[in-house]
Each structure stands twice: as structure tokens, then as C-alpha cells.
Amino acid sequence: MDDGTCAVRVDHISDVVPLVKVPESMIPVQWRDQIPEGENTALSWTARGNKAFKAGASQDAIFSYTKALEVSADNDDVSTILINRAQAYLRVKCYDDALADLALILLADPNNQKAHSRAARALYELGRFAECDTHLRQLQPSSINNRDQSCIDRVKARQDEAVGKYDFDSIRKEPTYDSPFLDHADFKGPIETRQSEERGRGLFLTRDVKAGELLLCEKAFSAIFEDPKSYPKLFTDEYAAEKLRLSEEAKISLTDDIVTKLFHNPSLSSGFLDLHRGGYPLGPSPSKDVGPIVDTFLVGSILPYNCFGFHITTLGRFQEWFSLDPLQRSHGTCVGIWKTASLVNHSCIPNASRAHFGDIIVVRAARDIAKGEELTFSYFPATLEYAQRQEHAGDYWKGGCSCKFCVAETATPKRQIGLREMLLEEMHSIFAAFEASDPDEALTERLYRAVTARLDLINGTYTAISSRQPRVQLLPSLQGLLTVSRAKNRPVGTISSAVQILIALGFDYDTTNARIKTWGLVNSYVVEALASLWEAYGEREGKVGLCGRAEENAKLAYEICIGERESFEKVLGDYRPNLQEEDPKDVMEEGLKCLNVGRG
């Protein structure tokens, strides 16, 4: 040590072996308990255990109950001691050990009500809800207490969730920094784990799915929730999900939590220890003389490659985008790891989107996906410039990202990129001058013409269609036009700008019928564009049919981004237009007008 003294370094919690788990013959004589004659009995040790348990000293209670079992010769005593030790194990969250004790009791007495009750509690905490329900069904009505009834009610809700039936309207209101860990079950939809062609294992669809379908809902295996003021402590740069960029504080906190979980409940290791670990070498399986073996260094090597950064609610982040209530801007960035979601590989043009509710991650299809296709979402914002995306991708795998978007970017000649950057700079200057003035209708019209002319030129600098090479650089300018159009109450301009945003992001949008034929890159720009179309169709003619379809488009995009649609009205209700019944013949005419606007 720095002060010249010595210390013992212990890297792995499993290297510290409680003496209660070691045969007495292996303990030096001077370390052995000196038990007065006549007190080394099951009755005496049980009494000590009961006293320690009541005092809140659960580990001392476990020690005493274990000693009682060593000297007990009476089967009735053994059952009582085991049921007491199981209760102590439950208190210290050693659910595997509790279940082992309770299984011995139920082997001898299959109708033991306390054993069924406590087994149900342990299984619930391990997320094994079907097994939990099996034990609860063994309880006699006369033996069901308030805790049992609560468990019965919660298990029913969890089993509904396990087949995809979630009350997202309730769930979205639950997370807070004081209570970020939610009580809900995992759901795995039509997905399976298979070997990916390029990047190890991945998740693949087992059937065709439609945009917006729920594919995965999963609680974090471990997560950290920090107040926004602590944000710099968790990550070393702005984007939370980057591999190898977790701060030391975050690594230590997550490692400590995970190692403790694995040590107390080895059954939880399934699925976690198989995650990608970088170059960490696995040696031969260690001998297991006493208790579970947990390799702290293995846990530490898994974390940087499999963690996700997130806001405590995606809705909070989305509300920042729309600058609603300033009080909503206090959502900070958190970090967590999920066993199944961590298998999803990256693409800059993903076919799925993730959202967060506290420690729960929700994955939905971001477009129609065919059976057998690999599931992907973006590890970092796809709106970043190519060089930034490659820098972040380099933290995950050698060679950077080679998705179709990045391949198209590399195929673009430098001369065209330079021309694009020059035109974009001109557009930014045009918008800056416009915002600094007091624009009238004439100035607004000149803005439209100037920006539209440059948009056509910029589109010519791309080498691939927008479904393969989204025009992300155009989004700020197109959003600027959309904002001006809405502020000036110009429905034609609103429709034109919104449709151009969709086209820039690879959408195939049927303006005649207000239908999305093919989904593109879904993000907040898309949600705003579709909500604006909903509003503009109503303001222009007040037509019910087009508005109804436009509303459903906006809600679906919102659900893909946010994870639920129940809050749509609260967040985007201001876009709702005043409608009147329409003549069906007018629908086609309206659509053709919008189509012409979009083409212009």
C-alpha cells in the first residue's frame, strides 16, 4: 500500500469462502467456534439463528441454521430449520439457495404451505413466473395471506405480459429516478438467436412482421440510473451506447451489481456469460470445490461491448425534441445491459427501433420485415455524418460499419461531397438571414424558392437512392421549411416539406391516399413530418379520410420511436385538425394536389 502497510487483494468474490461452507476439518483449530459443552445442539443453534434473524442479521442467521442442520438428527427439526434458513436466504436475495432448501422440504412434504409460499416468492424474483404460479396454485385458501394474494395478482399480470399483453399507458408513467426498476415480465416475440454472417450471433425473425409490431420487451440484467448532473460520470463522450467508452465509475458499479447477482444466484448466468467479450480469453473451467465461481474480469470484459445508453424514458427525450414543458428536460442518461437485446446487431439503416421505460427496453419493427431477416437497430444516431458513424462503429468491430448506407457514402466522389457541403452552408446562411429578419409573405416565398433550388442540386450529389443513402444532411433545412410553413399557416408548403422529409429518409409515400407504401429511416423528424401532414390535410380541406389515415401514420411512427402510442394525444394533440365529412370523390383530387406539391 502507499503507506507501507500490506493488504490482501481479492479480485473475485467467489475467492472469499465463508467458513460456514467449509468442512470443519479444513479450518485451523484456533479459528473454530469454541462451543460450550451442551450447546452444540440443533435446538441451541436454531435459537441463535432465530434471534439473529429477528435482529436483521440474516447472514448470522444462515450460519446458525447451517450449524443446526449439521448436528440435527430429527427429520422434523430439519424441516423447520430449512424453512427458516430459506426465509433468511430470501432476505439476502439468495433465491437459488432458498429454492434448494424448499425443494428438500417439498420432497418430504409436498403440501407444505410455507414452502410453496416461499418458493413462489423466490421464483417471482428470478422472473420464473410460470413456475411461481405452479407453487401458488398449491396454496389452500385458508393459508393465503396478504403477501401471497399480492403475489397471485402480480403473477397473473406477468403471465399476460409474457405473451405480449402490456398496459403501456400505465408502464410509461412508472419510471422515476427514485424508482427506475419496474415490476414487469419479459416478452420475446417472433425472434430467434442464430449466427450472423458478419458479427457473431444475432436475432432473426421467425415470421413476417409489420411495422410497429412488438418484437421484444425485456428488463435489464443490470442498470445504473443517474441524475442528469452525474451524466459525465457514466460516459466519456456524448453518445451513451458506445463500446469501450463507459467511465470507470460506470464499469465498477455495473460489475459490482452483476458479480453479486451471479454469485448469489448462479441460475441467472445463463445468457449473460455467453455475450460477446472482446478478446478476453476463457481458460479451463475452474474446479468448483465450494460455491459458485464468478470471474470478475470476464464480467468486466462483457460490459463495454453490450451496454446501451438511454434516457430513463424515451418519451422524455422526445419531449425535449418538441420543446414542450421545460420541466420535462430533466431526463438524464443511464446505462444498462440486457441479455437478449444485446444480441441485436447494428445498422445505420435499422429495421427495428428501441425505446426505454426505466429498466425496460422495448423493441419494435421499424418497417415491414420478412421471415429470416436479421433484426438490427442503430447503436448511435444514424443522422451523424459518415466519419462520425465510422468512428463510433470502430469501437464495436474492426473495419467500421459496412451497412448499405455507409457503402453508398464511400462510393460518393469527394468532389460531390464538397459541392454538397458548400450548398448546405449556403442554405444555413439563408435560414439564418431569414430568422434574423421580420419576414413577410414575399420574403417567405423567396426563402422557399432559394432553398428548393439548392435542394435539387444537393440531391444530385448522392450516388444512391434515399432508401440506401438517406439524405440526413437535408433534415435540418427541411425541418426549417416545415416550421416556417406551419408558423405561416401554409398547408401546401407544410405538405411539400413534410413529404420531402419522408422522401429524404427513404420512404415511399403515396400522397394520393396518404399511405406509407415502404417505411424508411424512422426518427423524430418522421414523427413531426407525419403529424404535420395530419394537421395540413385538415387545414387545407378538412377532409376526414385523408386525415384519418395521416393520423394513423403519425401514431404508428410515434409508437415505433417511443415504444407506445398511449401518450400520443398528450404530446402531439395540438396537431389535431378540425375536420368535416368529405365527398369520397374529393379524396383522389386532394391526393393528386399533394402529389404535385411533393414533386415540386
Side-chain angles (χ1 to χ4, degrees):
M1 303 292 289
D2 291 340
D3 60 1
T5 59
C6 297
V8 176
R9 169 174 165 166
V10 180
D11 291 318
H12 310 288
I13 189 174
S14 50
D15 290 343
V16 179
V17 182
L19 294 183
V20 67
K21 294 187 176 183
V22 178
E24 191 171 76
S25 59
M26 296 177 61
I27 303 175
V29 174
Q30 61 270 31
W31 288 7
R32 297 178 189 175
D33 289 313
Q34 304 301 314
I35 308 300
E37 187 175 350
E39 291 191 18
N40 191 28
T41 64
L43 185 63
S44 177
W45 280 113
T46 301
R48 291 185 186 185
N50 293 342
K51 182 178 180 181
F53 184 82
K54 290 180 180 178
S58 300
Q59 292 291 356
D60 290 343
I62 292 169
F63 178 89
S64 296
Y65 291 139
T66 303
K67 286 293 187 181
L69 289 169
E70 291 176 1
V71 299
S72 176
D74 188 293
N75 288 336
D76 291 336
D77 286 346
V78 168
S79 179
T80 301
I81 297 167
L82 285 173
I83 202 76
N84 288 347
R85 189 171 71 170
Q87 181 75 342
Y89 277 136
L90 287 173
R91 182 180 282 181
V92 295
K93 301 182 179 181
C94 292
Y95 306 117
D96 285 0
D97 288 330
L99 287 172
D101 281 357
L102 296 166
L104 293 174
I105 297 170
L106 292 170
L107 187 63
D109 179 9
N111 294 316
N112 189 300
Q113 298 291 281
K114 279 189 177 181
H116 281 299
S117 173
R118 292 175 185 178
R121 287 171 53 198
L123 290 163
Y124 189 97
E125 295 300 331
L126 292 171
R128 292 155 59 178
F129 302 116
E131 295 173 73
C132 173
D133 184 58
T134 298
H135 284 279
L136 290 172
R137 290 179 183 276
Q138 301 302 313
L139 297 179
Q140 300 298 322
S142 60
S143 67
I144 295 177
N145 56 32
N146 290 338
R147 174 176 280 178
D148 293 329
Q149 187 59 55
S150 173
C151 193
I152 291 170
D153 295 339
R154 289 188 295 151
V155 160
K156 184 180 184 305
R158 299 298 83 78
Q159 289 184 300
D160 286 343
E161 292 168 347
V163 294
K165 298 178 181 178
Y166 289 91
D167 180 5
F168 283 112
D169 191 36
S170 174
I171 292 174
R172 69 181 178 86
K173 302 171 185 174
E174 294 178 21
T176 65
Y177 281 110
D178 292 330
S179 302
F181 299 99
L182 309 189
D183 181 16
H184 295 284
D186 293 349
F187 163 73
K188 186 182 291 187
I191 55 176
E192 64 180 3
T193 303
R194 287 175 17 202
Q195 197 68 18
S196 178
E197 290 184 5
E198 296 182 357
R199 298 177 189 143
R201 293 182 301 159
L203 296 182
F204 293 79
L205 274 296
T206 59
R207 63 169 172 80
D208 295 348
V209 300
K210 291 292 187 181
E213 183 169 340
L214 180 65
L215 302 178
L216 178 67
C217 191
E218 183 183 15
K219 277 181 63 66
F221 187 62
S222 181
I224 303 173
F225 295 86
E226 292 285 354
D227 185 272
K229 295 177 182 177
S230 301
Y231 172 88
K233 295 184 354 186
L234 295 183
F235 309 102
T236 57
D237 74 352
E238 180 181 359
Y239 296 107
E242 278 65 20
K243 292 179 183 179
L244 308 180
R245 299 190 182 192
L246 288 172
S247 70
E248 285 304 312
E249 290 89 343
K251 290 178 185 176
I252 291 170
S253 296
L254 285 170
T255 300
D256 178 65
D257 180 58
I258 292 171
V259 165
T260 301
K261 284 181 178 177
L262 297 178
F263 182 69
H264 285 171
N265 299 288
S267 66
L268 295 176
S269 64
S270 175
F272 175 78
L273 296 179
D274 296 331
L275 293 174
H276 182 57
R277 61 182 184 277
Y280 184 80
L282 287 182
S285 299
S287 60
K288 190 176 180 181
D289 298 324
V290 181
I293 304 298
V294 181
D295 185 343
T296 303
F297 299 147
L298 173 58
V299 172
S301 68
I302 288 173
L303 286 177
Y305 293 94
N306 296 279
C307 284
F308 293 119
F310 59 101
H311 278 60
I312 192 168
T313 63
T314 303
L315 175 59
R317 179 66 167 172
F318 186 79
Q319 287 177 309
E320 290 181 11
W321 167 271
F322 279 89
S323 300
L324 296 180
D325 182 357
L327 297 177
Q328 296 287 343
R329 299 176 188 173
S330 61
H331 296 268
T333 301
C334 315
V335 62
I337 186 167
W338 288 260
K339 290 182 180 180
T340 301
S342 293
L343 296 174
V344 179
N345 283 313
H346 165 82
S347 173
C348 295
I349 310 180
N351 57 20
S353 179
R354 62 183 171 98
H356 296 270
F357 304 91
D359 68 331
I360 292 176
I361 189 170
V362 172
V363 179
R364 292 187 181 274
R367 61 169 173 80
D368 295 350
I369 312 175
K371 176 182 178 180
E373 191 173 344
E374 183 176 3
L375 195 66
T376 60
F377 50 55
S378 185
Y379 290 0
F380 39 81
T383 51
L384 293 177
E385 292 289 346
Y386 169 74
Q388 292 176 296
R389 300 201 309 273
Q390 289 301 314
E391 178 186 354
H392 291 303
D395 290 334
Y396 290 85
W397 52 84
K398 294 180 180 179
C401 180
S402 58
C403 71
K404 58 185 180 182
F405 186 10
C406 291
V407 169
E409 295 278 67
T410 58
T412 305
K414 291 184 178 180
R415 179 179 59 80
Q416 291 180 227
I417 294 175
L419 175 60
R420 182 193 308 162
E421 292 175 348
M422 181 190 72
L423 292 169
L424 287 170
E425 189 62 36
E426 287 181 7
M427 282 209 301
H428 295 161
S429 299
I430 292 170
F431 272 105
F434 180 82
E435 292 171 356
S437 63
D438 184 15
D440 55 16
E441 282 299 313
L443 186 58
T444 302
E445 192 60 39
R446 286 199 295 274
L447 170 72
Y448 275 96
R449 288 199 299 270
V451 171
T452 299
R454 284 161 180 79
L455 285 174
D456 290 341
L457 292 173
I458 291 172
N459 270 314
T461 67
Y462 293 91
T463 58
I465 58 176
S466 59
S467 60
R468 299 184 63 86
Q469 191 178 13
R471 283 51 165 153
V472 295
Q473 296 89 348
L474 296 180
L475 295 177
S477 296
L478 291 175
Q479 187 197 29
L481 281 181
L482 183 61
T483 300
V484 171
S485 297
R486 292 189 66 232
K488 295 291 184 179
N489 194 24
R490 296 172 59 131
V492 173
T494 297
I495 294 172
S496 175
S497 303
V499 170
Q500 287 187 73
I501 287 174
L502 298 179
I503 293 173
L505 291 173
F507 280 73
D508 184 356
Y509 184 71
D510 179 1
T511 52
T512 301
N513 297 295
R515 287 194 174 96
I516 297 172
K517 297 169 67 175
T518 303
W519 287 77
L521 182 62
V522 183
N523 54 27
S524 299
Y525 288 99
V526 169
V527 177
E528 184 178 19
L530 291 172
S532 298
L533 283 171
W534 172 40
E535 177 187 52
Y537 285 145
E539 288 184 354
R540 191 174 182 196
E541 296 290 345
K543 302 297 180 62
V544 175
L546 286 176
C547 287
R549 289 190 288 274
E551 178 183 7
E552 177 55 28
N553 291 338
K555 286 183 175 179
L556 187 52
Y558 182 90
E559 184 175 42
I560 291 170
C561 286
I562 307 304
E564 48 82 17
R565 64 168 57 197
E566 285 75 10
S567 61
F568 177 86
E569 190 66 32
K570 176 182 177 182
V571 177
L572 298 177
D574 289 346
Y575 285 80
R576 178 174 294 282
N578 295 319
L579 302 177
Q580 64 186 29
E581 291 297 329
E582 65 193 76
D583 183 343
K585 294 180 180 179
D586 289 341
V587 174
M588 180 63 72
E589 179 184 348
E590 171 72 9
L592 290 173
K593 292 178 182 177
C594 295
L595 179 61
N596 291 331
V597 170
R599 285 175 173 168

